[in-house]
């Protein structure tokens, strides 16, 4: 492999795959072929994408096989705790919080089983694929319980009699519902993060890391942003400015032939809903136009 190209690890198939690829596309990356191969070459950046199991991503960065990784905080935290337990400090740095891959690691009990807080866990068997995070949770609450470490299919462990309850990832909640389980406590709120090696990279590689970080910032800040244009009576200017969601300094332009009116253009850093448009209209605004923002660079 070319040593001068950045290597970025992405989940091969799962909740992070599509949003990770979408983020990279929005950052301008064009990849060689489909995601069925292990490595995809970036055609217009010195960056290649490795498709791997999400659980392997922290290790790949830890061992400098990859320079960067897009991974869930849940997987990252578990790996950090496991490394610490083995006496190794984690060698990956968390460099960006990303706005996708939201889910939570939660405790869930079978329907009909009561739960009155962490003390209800005493002496219970809890099935999980996150033994280190569960152990920390129990330790912090001074509860003794048995951790049943599984490699998958945690949600069926209570029915098989292998555990009394589970500690697993929940995102839509449909897995719990289908297995007659009820979420009772959150152990960790999770979302995707970008991690990198702490190693000093050659300047060309480091420059691309910095460019990628800046582009990610830009992509994330425009996701919710809108560009709004409208006409307003000068007398209503103050009220209308207050109604524009998350816009610091709108541009105010005189309107030829209408001395009492102005045009207002503003970037709103929040979505503009119909309700907002209706309030603006009520305040005297007309000719309202809302446009998506494609790119933004501060
Ligand atoms: C998690 C978890 C459940 C599912 C929950 O697995 O183990 O199976 O997601 O999601 P839901 O609330 O939307 O139904 P994941 O897909 O992360 O698999 P992995 O642990 O093998 O990566
Ligand atoms: Zn996984």
């Amino acid at each position: 492999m070319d040593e001068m190209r950045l290597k970025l690890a992405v989940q091969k198939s799962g909740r992070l795959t599509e949003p990770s690829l979408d983020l990279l596309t929005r950052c301008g990356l064009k990849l060689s072929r489909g995601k069925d191969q292990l490595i995809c070459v970036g055609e217009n950046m010195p960056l290649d994408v490795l498709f791997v199991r999400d659980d392997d991503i922290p290790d790949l960065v830890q061992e400098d096989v990859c320079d960067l990784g897009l991974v869930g905080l849940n997987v990252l935290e578990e790996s950090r705790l496991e490394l610490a337990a083995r006496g190794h400090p984690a060698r990956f740095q968390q460099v960006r919080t990303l706005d996708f891959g939201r889910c939570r690691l939660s405790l869930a009990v079978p329907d009909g089983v009561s739960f009155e807080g962490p003390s209800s866990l005493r002496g219970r068997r809890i099935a999980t694929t996150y033994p280190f995070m569960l152990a920390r949770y129990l330790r912090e609450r001074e509860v003794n319980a048995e951790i049943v470490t599984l490699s998958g299919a945690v949600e069926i462990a209570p029915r098989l009699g292998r555990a009394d309850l589970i500690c697993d990832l929940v995102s839509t909640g449909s897995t719990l519902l289908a297995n007659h389980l009820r979420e009772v406590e959150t152990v960790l709120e999770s979302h995707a993060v970008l991690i990198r090696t702490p190693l000093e990279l050659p300047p060309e590689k480091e420059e691309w890391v910095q460019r990628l970080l800046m582009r990610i910032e830009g992509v994330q800040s425009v996701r919710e942003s809108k560009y709004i244009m409208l006409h307003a009576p000068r007398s209503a200017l103050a009220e209308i400015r207050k109604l524009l969601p998350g816009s610091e300094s709108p541009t105010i332009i005189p309107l030829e032939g209408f001395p009492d009116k102005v045009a207002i253009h503003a970037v709103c850093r929040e979505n503009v809903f119909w309700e907002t448009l209706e309030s603006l209209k009520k305040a005297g605004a007309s000719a309202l136009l809302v446009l998506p923002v494609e790119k933004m660079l501060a």
Side-chain angles (χ1 to χ4, degrees), residues 16-246:
L16 299 182
T17 310
E18 284 314 313
S20 297
L21 289 174
D22 179 63
L23 175 68
L24 295 172
T25 304
R26 286 172 193 271
C27 287
L29 180 70
K30 286 199 174 66
L31 288 175
S32 58
R33 255 178 284 165
K35 57 174 196 230
D36 6 304
Q37 11 170 200
L38 175 64
I39 300 178
C40 271
V41 175
E43 289 178 342
N44 56 346
M45 287 186 204
L47 182 152
D48 301 333
V49 174
L50 270 81
F51 291 100
V52 295
R53 266 172 20 109
D54 63 343
D55 311 64
D56 294 337
I57 295 176
D59 278 354
L60 289 169
V61 176
Q62 176 82 8
E63 288 154 18
D64 304 314
V65 178
C66 290
D67 311 293
L68 301 164
L70 289 171
V71 67
L73 191 62
N74 52 309
V75 169
L76 195 67
E77 277 297 303
E78 184 69 9
S79 166
R80 226 194 285 270
L81 292 175
E82 186 175 354
L83 284 167
R86 287 200 265 122
H88 298 296
R91 285 186 61 258
F92 32 73
Q93 292 173 354
Q94 202 171 311
V95 281
R96 274 293 177 287
T97 293
L98 304 169
D99 59 3
F100 59 87
R102 268 174 231 287
C103 58
R104 53 205 182 272
L105 183 65
S106 288
L107 291 166
V109 299
D111 283 348
V113 171
S114 72
F115 183 86
E116 273 107 44
S119 63
S120 300
L121 300 170
R122 202 154 281 136
R124 301 266 136 170
R125 294 166 305 155
I126 313 172
T128 190
T129 55
Y130 295 87
F132 290 93
M133 260 195 284
L134 177 57
R136 179 178 64 181
Y137 174 91
L138 294 171
R139 199 166 52 242
E140 284 173 358
R141 283 152 189 84
E142 297 178 345
V143 171
N144 274 317
E146 186 190 334
I147 299 174
V148 180
T149 305
L150 302 178
S151 57
V154 168
E155 61 276 6
I156 61 169
R159 255 185 299 153
L160 297 178
R162 298 182 75 181
D164 302 303
L165 68 149
I166 69 165
C167 173
D168 199 13
L169 279 196
V170 183
S171 84
T172 60
S174 59
T175 302
L176 292 188
L177 201 65
N179 289 281
H180 307 286
L181 295 160
R182 178 169 56 97
E183 191 177 358
V184 289
E185 285 265 314
T186 306
V187 174
L188 179 90
E189 291 279 358
S190 184
H191 48 78
V193 294
L194 176 71
I195 56 170
R196 67 163 283 169
T197 165
L199 286 189
E200 196 178 318
L201 298 170
E204 305 79 34
K205 274 178 116 177
E206 186 59 43
E207 194 196 316
W208 271 103
V209 171
Q210 294 310 320
R211 283 174 85 167
L212 190 65
L213 286 175
M214 210 144 67
R215 290 182 188 189
I216 289 175
E217 198 94 315
V219 169
Q220 298 207 132
S221 66
V222 300
R223 270 209 235 268
E224 287 277 279
S225 297
K226 294 282 178 275
Y227 194 77
I228 183 166
M229 302 193 275
L230 55 90
H231 290 175
R234 278 185 191 278
S235 56
L237 213 57
E239 195 187 344
I240 282 175
R241 283 184 63 161
K242 261 189 274 165
L243 289 170
L244 293 173

